[in-house]
Amino acid sequence: MDPLLAVENLKVHFPIKKGVLSKTVGYVYAVDGVSFVLQRGQTLGIVGESGCGKTTAGLGILKLVPVTSGTIRYDGKDVTDADGRRLRALRREMQIIFQDPYSSLNPRMTVNQIINDPMQVHGVFAGSERQDRIAYLLERVGLSPEQGRRYPHEFSGGQRQRIGIARALALNPSIIIGDEPVSALDVSIQAQIINLLIELQKDFHLSYIIIAHDLAVVEYICDHVAVMYLGRIVERAAHGPIYTAPKHPYTQALLSAVPVPDPKTKRDRIILKGDVPSPINPPAGCRFHPRCPYRMEICDKKEPQLQDLGGGHEVSCFLYG
Amino acid sequence: MAESDHLLDLQHLKTYFYTFEGVARAVDDVSFFLDPGEVLGIVGESGCGKSVTAQSIMRLIPQPPGKIVEGRILFDGRDLVRLSMGEMRGIRGNRIAMIFQEPMTSLNPVYTIGNQISEMFRLHMGLGRREGLNRAVEMLKKVQIPAPEKRVGEYPHQLSGGMRQRAMIAMALACDPEILIADEPTTALDVTVQAQILDLMLKLKEDFDTAIMMITHDLGVIAEIARRVVVMYAGRIVEEAETVPLFEDPKHPYTQGLLRSIPKLGRRGAGERTRLVEIKGIVPGLLDLPEGCRFSPRCPQVMGICRKKDPPLGRIGPGRTVRCWLYFDEPGKD
């Protein structure tokens, strides 16, 4: 069986325009050759720091930003150039929840209208069936149907995120992309939303792509994890090995940098030097080489490719092989 | 002259905000102390009053609508609450400095980094312009900014987020303050940069012998750098303890819930995940706080008394206090 979603060599480059004639003077290489597959019922996590391209990759899959090159296959069919009706059909299958529950809900619409909106746009579920579905969805995300008549500002951050989830579920999609779905929430609320997402995955047969910078959250939710750095995937594996035996020096540094809520674990922390370089001029060779503690001669000359170290644990680094 | 054995001693601080909807008791009877050279963590979620506490110490509460209605903030024999704004200016930035979450909004975009750091020397030490700039370069070097001679002439927008936070720290430590209040200093930063900044803060604490008050929602950050922790909830301290006992044996149901609700890195293993323990409900609004214990509507161990009477913050061991009826006897408790 084909994987539900297969992304191959996805590139999203944004032109930088300058001057009165808007001449293109360069590109932001936001996503620069990213490949992964999402299996049915599974959760893929994409982690990385700001500017690594994780959000743009998600938007590219949904075709909310123009894709420069690469292919996106949904259920075995190439949907990279889908437009018009095919794109609408595709969007019924793929929904997104956003980071900021404050700005992603229209303040002038009631919750009922917000959840109704996608069903109206796509012309699914009519009349009383639609009303029933709204009530059902509200209940499923932990709100009461009576709250549907209220406006977003009457809800707390966690409740708004629940509304966003109900909206994403309205069309009965097969994939939900969560772009930092819990990072704007208070600690005590995060667990509620994470538990909710996991419950819904089973009940609605969903596959998730979770984009996040919080490595602990991604470990908890995801089956597979891809680590991105400057527009590229540097390491990819099942959730276990990536946390217990990270291979790429960047993944190692990233994991060691996370403050652990246990004052007794004293770890050898790898402190990286400098900042993430700009995706406008990514470094030549391996993009991580200027900050890499193990850099070798070859690293600034050739770009490493992802290679399988066994068991589907892939890493893009010259230290291996 | 007010007496205190501690470097900073907050006693029954109450800071309220008077709004059209009612009185928001943002900080409601908060007491804690800070000793020289120690790192105290203040942890809590949004609206718990941790930032307002810091702003009260710095006397940066906008008035109106805010007001310190009660309590004392003792520092070096003086009560900061009673100082005039002029007297406070001699302390703020000079002896007690503060860094903020968002370095971009707390640096002035139209002045160079050097200008803003040297202002500290000019104002508080009466140095001249050139001397101030030289000292600014020295400070940038201490916070490990590469090419400080060049950076000193740059504007905030020319620096990355991590560099800006370093510049903020340089400015805060310029006058060698006794206390550094850090309000979510690494929240806006990426984790590899956060690690750099935390590392730097700990190193500078040793070099400058500064006491740090670290305000954060991130229990990981607390575990890494604090020696003692104050946990706040809805304007109140609910628990206070040294870091290791707090994480090993949290007493207050809120602290217990917080620690259980966060997924821990590298702990999932290969097997099935266990469901995260969540704290039900939502953080109450400061305008309609629940009766009795403010955590009672969300507490899994709630008892009859909790909904009626506010528990006291009581001592349950050396250096350990908790605000919870589970640990105290009260006639009428059931």
Side-chain angles (χ1 to χ4, degrees), chain A residues 49-50 156 186-188 191-192 195 199 216 219-222 239 243 257 259-261 263-264 267 269 271-272 274-275 291, chain B residues 45-46 160 190 192 194 196 199 220 223-224 247-248 261-269 273-276 278-281 298:
Chain A
E49 299 180 282
S50 44
S156 69
D186 268 322
V187 185
S188 73
Q192 296 177 359
N195 283 338
E199 267 171 44
E219 177 189 18
Y220 184 78
I221 305 181
C222 299
H239 71 86
Y243 287 92
V260 171
K264 279 201 166 162
R267 294 163 308 154
R269 183 179 266 169
I271 300 220
L272 290 179
D275 295 306
R291 303 175 76 195
Chain B
E45 301 179 283
S46 45
S160 68
D190 277 318
T192 57
Q194 165 170 286
Q196 293 171 355
D199 201 50
E224 299 262 333
F247 280 79
E248 278 187 345
S261 69
I262 42 175
K264 294 180 189 60
L265 197 66
R267 296 282 171 83
R268 183 174 158 199
R273 63 191 149 216
T274 45
R275 191 184 157 89
L276 288 179
E278 51 188 77
I279 303 178
K280 62 178 185 181
R298 305 178 72 191

Short mmCIF file of all heavy atoms in Angstrom, two decimals, chain A residues 49-50 156 186-188 191-192 195 199 216 219-222 239 243 257 259-261 263-264 267 269 271-272 274-275 291, chain B residues 45-46 160 190 192 194 196 199 220 223-224 247-248 261-269 273-276 278-281 298:
data_model
loop_
_atom_site.label_atom_id
_atom_site.label_comp_id
_atom_site.label_asym_id
_atom_site.label_seq_id
_atom_site.Cartn_x
_atom_site.Cartn_y
_atom_site.Cartn_z
N GLU A 49 14.89 24.61 14.98
CA GLU A 49 14.80 25.93 15.58
C GLU A 49 14.20 26.92 14.60
O GLU A 49 13.98 26.60 13.44
CB GLU A 49 16.20 26.37 16.01
CG GLU A 49 16.79 25.43 17.03
CD GLU A 49 18.17 25.88 17.44
OE1 GLU A 49 19.13 25.67 16.69
OE2 GLU A 49 18.27 26.47 18.51
N SER A 50 13.95 28.14 15.07
CA SER A 50 13.31 29.11 14.20
C SER A 50 14.16 29.33 12.95
O SER A 50 15.38 29.37 13.02
CB SER A 50 13.07 30.43 14.93
OG SER A 50 14.18 30.80 15.67
N SER A 156 -10.60 30.86 26.85
CA SER A 156 -9.18 30.91 27.21
C SER A 156 -8.35 30.32 26.07
O SER A 156 -8.89 29.74 25.13
CB SER A 156 -8.96 30.08 28.48
OG SER A 156 -9.14 28.71 28.19
N ASP A 186 -0.30 27.51 28.27
CA ASP A 186 0.30 27.33 29.58
C ASP A 186 0.63 25.86 29.81
O ASP A 186 -0.03 24.98 29.28
CB ASP A 186 -0.68 27.80 30.65
CG ASP A 186 -0.46 29.25 31.00
OD1 ASP A 186 0.71 29.67 31.04
OD2 ASP A 186 -1.44 29.96 31.22
N VAL A 187 1.63 25.66 30.65
CA VAL A 187 2.11 24.30 30.90
C VAL A 187 0.97 23.36 31.32
O VAL A 187 0.85 22.24 30.84
CB VAL A 187 3.20 24.31 32.00
CG1 VAL A 187 3.79 22.93 32.18
CG2 VAL A 187 4.30 25.29 31.64
N SER A 188 0.11 23.84 32.22
CA SER A 188 -0.93 22.93 32.73
C SER A 188 -1.98 22.64 31.67
O SER A 188 -2.74 21.70 31.79
CB SER A 188 -1.58 23.51 33.99
OG SER A 188 -2.43 24.58 33.69
N ALA A 191 -0.79 19.65 28.44
CA ALA A 191 -1.06 18.22 28.57
C ALA A 191 -2.49 17.90 28.14
O ALA A 191 -2.74 16.87 27.52
CB ALA A 191 -0.83 17.78 30.02
N GLN A 192 -3.43 18.80 28.45
CA GLN A 192 -4.82 18.58 28.04
C GLN A 192 -4.92 18.46 26.53
O GLN A 192 -5.58 17.57 25.99
CB GLN A 192 -5.71 19.75 28.49
CG GLN A 192 -5.82 19.93 29.98
CD GLN A 192 -6.66 21.15 30.33
OE1 GLN A 192 -7.13 21.87 29.46
NE2 GLN A 192 -6.85 21.39 31.61
N ASN A 195 -3.15 15.27 25.14
CA ASN A 195 -3.99 14.09 25.34
C ASN A 195 -5.17 14.08 24.38
O ASN A 195 -5.53 13.04 23.83
CB ASN A 195 -4.51 14.05 26.78
CG ASN A 195 -3.44 13.58 27.76
OD1 ASN A 195 -2.48 12.92 27.36
ND2 ASN A 195 -3.58 13.93 29.01
N GLU A 199 -6.13 11.18 21.61
CA GLU A 199 -7.45 10.53 21.60
C GLU A 199 -8.11 10.63 20.24
O GLU A 199 -8.64 9.66 19.69
CB GLU A 199 -8.37 11.24 22.59
CG GLU A 199 -8.42 10.67 23.96
CD GLU A 199 -9.20 11.63 24.86
OE1 GLU A 199 -10.26 12.15 24.44
OE2 GLU A 199 -8.71 11.86 25.96
N ALA A 216 10.58 17.53 23.75
CA ALA A 216 9.92 16.59 24.64
C ALA A 216 8.49 16.33 24.17
O ALA A 216 8.02 15.19 24.19
CB ALA A 216 9.94 17.12 26.07
N GLU A 219 8.66 14.08 21.11
CA GLU A 219 8.96 12.71 21.48
C GLU A 219 7.72 12.00 21.98
O GLU A 219 7.45 10.85 21.64
CB GLU A 219 10.03 12.66 22.58
CG GLU A 219 10.31 11.23 23.04
CD GLU A 219 11.20 11.15 24.27
OE1 GLU A 219 11.34 12.14 24.98
OE2 GLU A 219 11.75 10.06 24.50
N TYR A 220 6.94 12.73 22.77
CA TYR A 220 5.77 12.11 23.37
C TYR A 220 4.70 11.79 22.32
O TYR A 220 4.09 10.73 22.37
CB TYR A 220 5.19 13.03 24.46
CG TYR A 220 4.04 12.39 25.17
CD1 TYR A 220 4.26 11.42 26.14
CD2 TYR A 220 2.73 12.72 24.84
CE1 TYR A 220 3.20 10.80 26.77
CE2 TYR A 220 1.67 12.09 25.47
CZ TYR A 220 1.91 11.13 26.44
OH TYR A 220 0.86 10.52 27.04
N ILE A 221 4.46 12.69 21.39
CA ILE A 221 3.35 12.50 20.45
C ILE A 221 3.73 11.64 19.25
O ILE A 221 2.90 10.90 18.73
CB ILE A 221 2.85 13.86 19.90
CG1 ILE A 221 2.49 14.81 21.04
CG2 ILE A 221 1.64 13.68 19.01
CD1 ILE A 221 1.97 16.14 20.57
N CYS A 222 4.98 11.74 18.78
CA CYS A 222 5.27 11.28 17.42
C CYS A 222 5.83 9.85 17.33
O CYS A 222 6.48 9.37 18.26
CB CYS A 222 6.25 12.24 16.75
SG CYS A 222 5.55 13.88 16.62
N HIS A 239 10.90 7.53 16.91
CA HIS A 239 11.05 8.41 18.07
C HIS A 239 12.06 7.88 19.08
O HIS A 239 12.74 8.66 19.74
CB HIS A 239 9.70 8.66 18.74
CG HIS A 239 9.17 7.46 19.44
ND1 HIS A 239 9.51 7.17 20.73
CD2 HIS A 239 8.36 6.47 19.03
CE1 HIS A 239 8.92 6.04 21.08
NE2 HIS A 239 8.22 5.61 20.06
N TYR A 243 16.05 9.87 20.19
CA TYR A 243 16.27 10.45 21.51
C TYR A 243 17.31 9.70 22.32
O TYR A 243 18.04 10.29 23.10
CB TYR A 243 14.95 10.51 22.28
CG TYR A 243 14.05 11.58 21.73
CD1 TYR A 243 13.13 11.32 20.74
CD2 TYR A 243 14.18 12.90 22.18
CE1 TYR A 243 12.33 12.31 20.20
CE2 TYR A 243 13.40 13.91 21.65
CZ TYR A 243 12.48 13.61 20.66
OH TYR A 243 11.72 14.60 20.14
N ALA A 257 20.81 20.53 24.79
CA ALA A 257 20.53 21.91 25.19
C ALA A 257 19.19 22.04 25.92
O ALA A 257 18.94 23.04 26.59
CB ALA A 257 20.52 22.83 23.96
N PRO A 259 16.63 22.10 28.61
CA PRO A 259 16.69 22.01 30.07
C PRO A 259 15.74 20.92 30.55
O PRO A 259 14.59 20.86 30.15
CB PRO A 259 16.19 23.38 30.54
CG PRO A 259 16.11 24.24 29.34
CD PRO A 259 16.00 23.33 28.16
N VAL A 260 16.25 20.01 31.38
CA VAL A 260 15.44 18.89 31.84
C VAL A 260 14.92 19.18 33.24
O VAL A 260 15.68 19.60 34.10
CB VAL A 260 16.28 17.60 31.83
CG1 VAL A 260 15.53 16.47 32.50
CG2 VAL A 260 16.64 17.23 30.41
N PRO A 261 13.63 18.99 33.44
CA PRO A 261 13.07 19.30 34.76
C PRO A 261 13.44 18.25 35.80
O PRO A 261 12.60 17.61 36.39
CB PRO A 261 11.55 19.33 34.51
CG PRO A 261 11.35 18.53 33.28
CD PRO A 261 12.59 18.61 32.48
N PRO A 263 16.54 18.32 38.67
CA PRO A 263 17.77 19.03 39.10
C PRO A 263 18.94 18.08 39.37
O PRO A 263 20.06 18.53 39.51
CB PRO A 263 17.35 19.74 40.39
CG PRO A 263 16.08 19.09 40.82
CD PRO A 263 15.45 18.48 39.61
N LYS A 264 18.67 16.77 39.43
CA LYS A 264 19.76 15.86 39.76
C LYS A 264 20.52 15.35 38.54
O LYS A 264 21.64 14.88 38.67
CB LYS A 264 19.23 14.69 40.58
CG LYS A 264 19.08 15.08 42.04
CD LYS A 264 19.06 13.85 42.91
CE LYS A 264 19.26 14.21 44.36
NZ LYS A 264 18.81 13.10 45.21
N ARG A 267 24.13 16.87 33.01
CA ARG A 267 24.57 16.30 31.75
C ARG A 267 25.72 17.09 31.18
O ARG A 267 25.94 18.24 31.55
CB ARG A 267 23.42 16.32 30.75
CG ARG A 267 22.29 15.41 31.17
CD ARG A 267 21.07 15.78 30.41
NE ARG A 267 20.79 17.20 30.51
CZ ARG A 267 20.12 17.88 29.62
NH1 ARG A 267 19.69 17.30 28.55
NH2 ARG A 267 19.90 19.17 29.80
N ARG A 269 26.65 19.18 28.62
CA ARG A 269 25.91 19.93 27.64
C ARG A 269 26.83 20.36 26.51
O ARG A 269 27.93 20.83 26.74
CB ARG A 269 25.31 21.14 28.33
CG ARG A 269 24.46 21.93 27.42
CD ARG A 269 23.89 23.08 28.16
NE ARG A 269 22.58 22.75 28.67
CZ ARG A 269 21.95 23.51 29.53
NH1 ARG A 269 22.51 24.59 30.00
NH2 ARG A 269 20.75 23.18 29.91
N ILE A 271 27.44 23.01 24.04
CA ILE A 271 26.98 24.37 23.75
C ILE A 271 27.51 24.77 22.37
O ILE A 271 28.71 24.86 22.15
CB ILE A 271 27.44 25.34 24.84
CG1 ILE A 271 26.83 24.85 26.15
CG2 ILE A 271 27.07 26.77 24.49
CD1 ILE A 271 26.31 25.86 27.08
N LEU A 272 26.57 24.98 21.46
CA LEU A 272 26.96 25.36 20.10
C LEU A 272 27.41 26.81 20.10
O LEU A 272 26.89 27.63 20.84
CB LEU A 272 25.77 25.21 19.16
CG LEU A 272 25.33 23.79 18.86
CD1 LEU A 272 24.12 23.83 17.95
CD2 LEU A 272 26.45 23.01 18.20
N GLY A 274 27.75 30.45 18.23
CA GLY A 274 27.12 31.25 17.19
C GLY A 274 25.64 31.00 17.03
O GLY A 274 25.01 30.29 17.80
N ASP A 275 25.07 31.62 15.99
CA ASP A 275 23.66 31.53 15.70
C ASP A 275 23.44 30.74 14.42
O ASP A 275 24.37 30.48 13.68
CB ASP A 275 23.07 32.93 15.51
CG ASP A 275 23.15 33.74 16.79
OD1 ASP A 275 22.65 33.24 17.81
OD2 ASP A 275 23.70 34.86 16.76
N ARG A 291 29.13 25.57 12.80
CA ARG A 291 28.86 25.44 14.23
C ARG A 291 29.20 24.05 14.75
O ARG A 291 29.02 23.78 15.94
CB ARG A 291 27.38 25.73 14.51
CG ARG A 291 26.93 27.10 14.04
CD ARG A 291 25.43 27.27 14.25
NE ARG A 291 25.09 27.53 15.65
CZ ARG A 291 23.87 27.44 16.14
NH1 ARG A 291 22.88 27.08 15.36
NH2 ARG A 291 23.63 27.69 17.42
N GLU B 45 2.41 30.01 35.82
CA GLU B 45 1.86 30.17 34.48
C GLU B 45 1.44 31.61 34.25
O GLU B 45 1.50 32.43 35.18
CB GLU B 45 0.67 29.23 34.31
CG GLU B 45 1.06 27.79 34.52
CD GLU B 45 -0.13 26.88 34.38
OE1 GLU B 45 -0.93 26.80 35.32
OE2 GLU B 45 -0.25 26.26 33.33
N SER B 46 0.95 31.90 33.06
CA SER B 46 0.57 33.29 32.77
C SER B 46 -0.52 33.71 33.75
O SER B 46 -1.43 32.96 34.06
CB SER B 46 0.11 33.43 31.33
OG SER B 46 -0.76 32.40 30.97
N SER B 160 21.35 39.50 16.31
CA SER B 160 20.41 38.38 16.38
C SER B 160 19.77 38.36 17.76
O SER B 160 20.21 39.05 18.68
CB SER B 160 21.14 37.08 16.13
OG SER B 160 22.01 36.82 17.21
N ASP B 190 15.76 30.31 20.78
CA ASP B 190 15.84 28.91 20.40
C ASP B 190 16.61 28.12 21.45
O ASP B 190 17.41 28.69 22.18
CB ASP B 190 16.56 28.78 19.06
CG ASP B 190 15.61 29.00 17.91
OD1 ASP B 190 14.49 28.50 17.99
OD2 ASP B 190 15.99 29.67 16.94
N THR B 192 19.14 26.04 21.45
CA THR B 192 20.61 26.05 21.50
C THR B 192 21.11 27.41 21.98
O THR B 192 22.13 27.49 22.66
CB THR B 192 21.25 25.72 20.13
OG1 THR B 192 20.78 26.64 19.16
CG2 THR B 192 20.90 24.32 19.68
N GLN B 194 19.27 29.39 23.98
CA GLN B 194 18.88 29.40 25.38
C GLN B 194 19.98 28.77 26.23
O GLN B 194 20.33 29.30 27.29
CB GLN B 194 17.59 28.61 25.56
CG GLN B 194 17.29 28.25 27.00
CD GLN B 194 15.90 27.69 27.19
OE1 GLN B 194 14.91 28.39 27.14
NE2 GLN B 194 15.83 26.40 27.39
N GLN B 196 23.12 28.67 25.58
CA GLN B 196 24.24 29.62 25.64
C GLN B 196 23.98 30.68 26.71
O GLN B 196 24.86 31.01 27.51
CB GLN B 196 24.42 30.34 24.30
CG GLN B 196 24.87 29.47 23.14
CD GLN B 196 24.80 30.22 21.80
OE1 GLN B 196 24.34 31.36 21.74
NE2 GLN B 196 25.24 29.57 20.74
N ASP B 199 24.03 29.37 30.34
CA ASP B 199 25.41 29.11 30.67
C ASP B 199 26.13 30.41 31.03
O ASP B 199 26.84 30.51 32.04
CB ASP B 199 26.06 28.47 29.43
CG ASP B 199 27.31 27.72 29.76
OD1 ASP B 199 27.24 26.90 30.69
OD2 ASP B 199 28.34 27.95 29.11
N GLY B 220 12.13 23.17 33.41
CA GLY B 220 13.46 22.71 33.02
C GLY B 220 14.51 23.75 33.34
O GLY B 220 15.57 23.45 33.92
N ALA B 223 15.11 23.88 37.05
CA ALA B 223 15.90 22.76 37.55
C ALA B 223 17.37 22.94 37.22
O ALA B 223 18.24 22.52 37.97
CB ALA B 223 15.38 21.45 36.95
N GLU B 224 17.65 23.60 36.11
CA GLU B 224 19.04 23.77 35.70
C GLU B 224 19.76 24.82 36.53
O GLU B 224 20.94 24.69 36.78
CB GLU B 224 19.12 24.22 34.23
CG GLU B 224 18.53 23.25 33.25
CD GLU B 224 19.58 22.37 32.60
OE1 GLU B 224 20.73 22.81 32.48
OE2 GLU B 224 19.21 21.26 32.19
N PHE B 247 11.48 19.12 43.32
CA PHE B 247 11.26 18.26 42.17
C PHE B 247 11.09 16.80 42.59
O PHE B 247 10.38 16.04 41.95
CB PHE B 247 12.42 18.38 41.16
CG PHE B 247 12.31 19.60 40.28
CD1 PHE B 247 12.68 20.84 40.75
CD2 PHE B 247 11.82 19.48 38.99
CE1 PHE B 247 12.57 21.97 39.94
CE2 PHE B 247 11.70 20.61 38.17
CZ PHE B 247 12.09 21.85 38.66
N GLU B 248 11.75 16.42 43.68
CA GLU B 248 11.64 15.02 44.11
C GLU B 248 10.36 14.74 44.85
O GLU B 248 9.78 13.67 44.73
CB GLU B 248 12.83 14.68 45.02
CG GLU B 248 14.05 14.36 44.20
CD GLU B 248 15.19 13.85 45.05
OE1 GLU B 248 15.16 14.00 46.30
OE2 GLU B 248 16.13 13.30 44.47
N SER B 261 2.55 16.81 34.42
CA SER B 261 1.89 17.09 33.14
C SER B 261 2.88 17.33 32.00
O SER B 261 2.49 17.32 30.85
CB SER B 261 0.95 18.28 33.27
OG SER B 261 1.69 19.46 33.47
N ILE B 262 4.16 17.54 32.32
CA ILE B 262 5.08 17.81 31.21
C ILE B 262 5.73 16.53 30.71
O ILE B 262 6.22 15.72 31.50
CB ILE B 262 6.18 18.84 31.57
CG1 ILE B 262 6.72 18.57 32.98
CG2 ILE B 262 5.67 20.24 31.45
CD1 ILE B 262 7.86 19.47 33.35
N PRO B 263 5.74 16.34 29.39
CA PRO B 263 6.44 15.18 28.84
C PRO B 263 7.94 15.36 29.09
O PRO B 263 8.47 16.46 28.97
CB PRO B 263 6.15 15.23 27.35
CG PRO B 263 5.35 16.45 27.08
CD PRO B 263 5.16 17.20 28.35
N LYS B 264 8.60 14.27 29.51
CA LYS B 264 10.03 14.40 29.82
C LYS B 264 10.87 13.79 28.71
O LYS B 264 10.60 12.69 28.24
CB LYS B 264 10.33 13.76 31.17
CG LYS B 264 9.63 14.55 32.25
CD LYS B 264 9.84 14.02 33.63
CE LYS B 264 8.92 14.77 34.60
NZ LYS B 264 7.48 14.63 34.28
N LEU B 265 11.86 14.54 28.35
CA LEU B 265 12.71 14.17 27.23
C LEU B 265 13.41 12.84 27.49
O LEU B 265 13.98 12.62 28.55
CB LEU B 265 13.75 15.27 27.03
CG LEU B 265 14.47 15.28 25.69
CD1 LEU B 265 13.49 15.60 24.58
CD2 LEU B 265 15.58 16.31 25.71
N GLY B 266 13.37 11.96 26.48
CA GLY B 266 14.11 10.71 26.57
C GLY B 266 13.50 9.69 27.51
O GLY B 266 14.11 8.69 27.83
N ARG B 267 12.24 9.92 27.95
CA ARG B 267 11.65 9.00 28.92
C ARG B 267 10.58 8.09 28.31
O ARG B 267 10.07 7.23 28.96
CB ARG B 267 10.98 9.79 30.06
CG ARG B 267 11.92 10.60 30.87
CD ARG B 267 12.69 9.71 31.86
NE ARG B 267 13.75 10.45 32.50
CZ ARG B 267 13.55 11.23 33.54
NH1 ARG B 267 12.38 11.35 34.07
NH2 ARG B 267 14.57 11.89 34.07
N ARG B 268 10.24 8.33 27.02
CA ARG B 268 9.12 7.57 26.50
C ARG B 268 9.49 6.12 26.26
O ARG B 268 8.69 5.24 26.45
CB ARG B 268 8.63 8.21 25.20
CG ARG B 268 7.40 7.49 24.66
CD ARG B 268 6.83 8.20 23.46
NE ARG B 268 6.03 7.28 22.68
CZ ARG B 268 5.69 7.46 21.44
NH1 ARG B 268 6.10 8.55 20.81
NH2 ARG B 268 4.95 6.59 20.79
N GLY B 269 10.73 5.91 25.86
CA GLY B 269 11.18 4.55 25.59
C GLY B 269 10.52 4.00 24.35
O GLY B 269 9.92 4.74 23.57
N ARG B 273 3.07 4.74 25.12
CA ARG B 273 3.19 5.88 26.03
C ARG B 273 2.08 5.82 27.06
O ARG B 273 0.99 5.30 26.80
CB ARG B 273 3.14 7.17 25.24
CG ARG B 273 1.83 7.36 24.54
CD ARG B 273 1.88 8.50 23.55
NE ARG B 273 0.95 8.18 22.47
CZ ARG B 273 1.15 8.47 21.21
NH1 ARG B 273 2.25 9.08 20.83
NH2 ARG B 273 0.25 8.16 20.32
N THR B 274 2.40 6.34 28.22
CA THR B 274 1.36 6.47 29.22
C THR B 274 0.74 7.86 29.08
O THR B 274 1.43 8.81 28.74
CB THR B 274 1.94 6.32 30.63
OG1 THR B 274 3.13 7.12 30.69
CG2 THR B 274 2.30 4.89 30.94
N ARG B 275 -0.55 7.92 29.33
CA ARG B 275 -1.25 9.17 29.16
C ARG B 275 -0.68 10.23 30.09
O ARG B 275 -0.36 9.96 31.25
CB ARG B 275 -2.73 8.94 29.49
CG ARG B 275 -3.65 10.07 29.13
CD ARG B 275 -5.06 9.72 29.62
NE ARG B 275 -5.84 10.94 29.79
CZ ARG B 275 -6.57 11.48 28.82
NH1 ARG B 275 -6.63 10.93 27.65
NH2 ARG B 275 -7.23 12.60 29.03
N LEU B 276 -0.50 11.44 29.58
CA LEU B 276 -0.01 12.53 30.42
C LEU B 276 -1.07 12.85 31.47
O LEU B 276 -2.26 12.88 31.18
CB LEU B 276 0.23 13.79 29.59
CG LEU B 276 1.42 13.82 28.63
CD1 LEU B 276 1.44 15.15 27.92
CD2 LEU B 276 2.72 13.61 29.38
N GLU B 278 -3.07 15.31 33.33
CA GLU B 278 -3.35 16.72 33.09
C GLU B 278 -3.97 17.38 34.31
O GLU B 278 -4.58 16.71 35.14
CB GLU B 278 -4.25 16.87 31.87
CG GLU B 278 -5.49 16.02 31.87
CD GLU B 278 -6.24 16.08 30.54
OE1 GLU B 278 -5.81 15.46 29.56
OE2 GLU B 278 -7.25 16.77 30.51
N ILE B 279 -3.78 18.69 34.40
CA ILE B 279 -4.51 19.44 35.42
C ILE B 279 -5.78 19.90 34.74
O ILE B 279 -5.74 20.59 33.74
CB ILE B 279 -3.70 20.67 35.89
CG1 ILE B 279 -2.33 20.24 36.42
CG2 ILE B 279 -4.48 21.43 36.95
CD1 ILE B 279 -1.45 21.40 36.85
N LYS B 280 -6.93 19.48 35.26
CA LYS B 280 -8.17 19.82 34.57
C LYS B 280 -8.48 21.30 34.72
O LYS B 280 -7.92 21.99 35.57
CB LYS B 280 -9.31 18.96 35.10
CG LYS B 280 -9.57 19.20 36.56
CD LYS B 280 -10.72 18.38 37.10
CE LYS B 280 -10.97 18.79 38.54
NZ LYS B 280 -12.01 18.10 39.22
N GLY B 281 -9.43 21.76 33.91
CA GLY B 281 -9.90 23.14 34.02
C GLY B 281 -8.92 24.16 33.50
O GLY B 281 -7.94 23.83 32.84
N ARG B 298 -9.60 23.10 40.50
CA ARG B 298 -8.83 22.23 39.61
C ARG B 298 -8.14 21.11 40.38
O ARG B 298 -7.49 20.27 39.78
CB ARG B 298 -7.78 23.05 38.87
CG ARG B 298 -8.34 24.23 38.10
CD ARG B 298 -7.24 25.04 37.43
NE ARG B 298 -6.67 24.33 36.29
CZ ARG B 298 -5.57 24.70 35.67
NH1 ARG B 298 -4.89 25.75 36.10
NH2 ARG B 298 -5.12 24.02 34.64
#
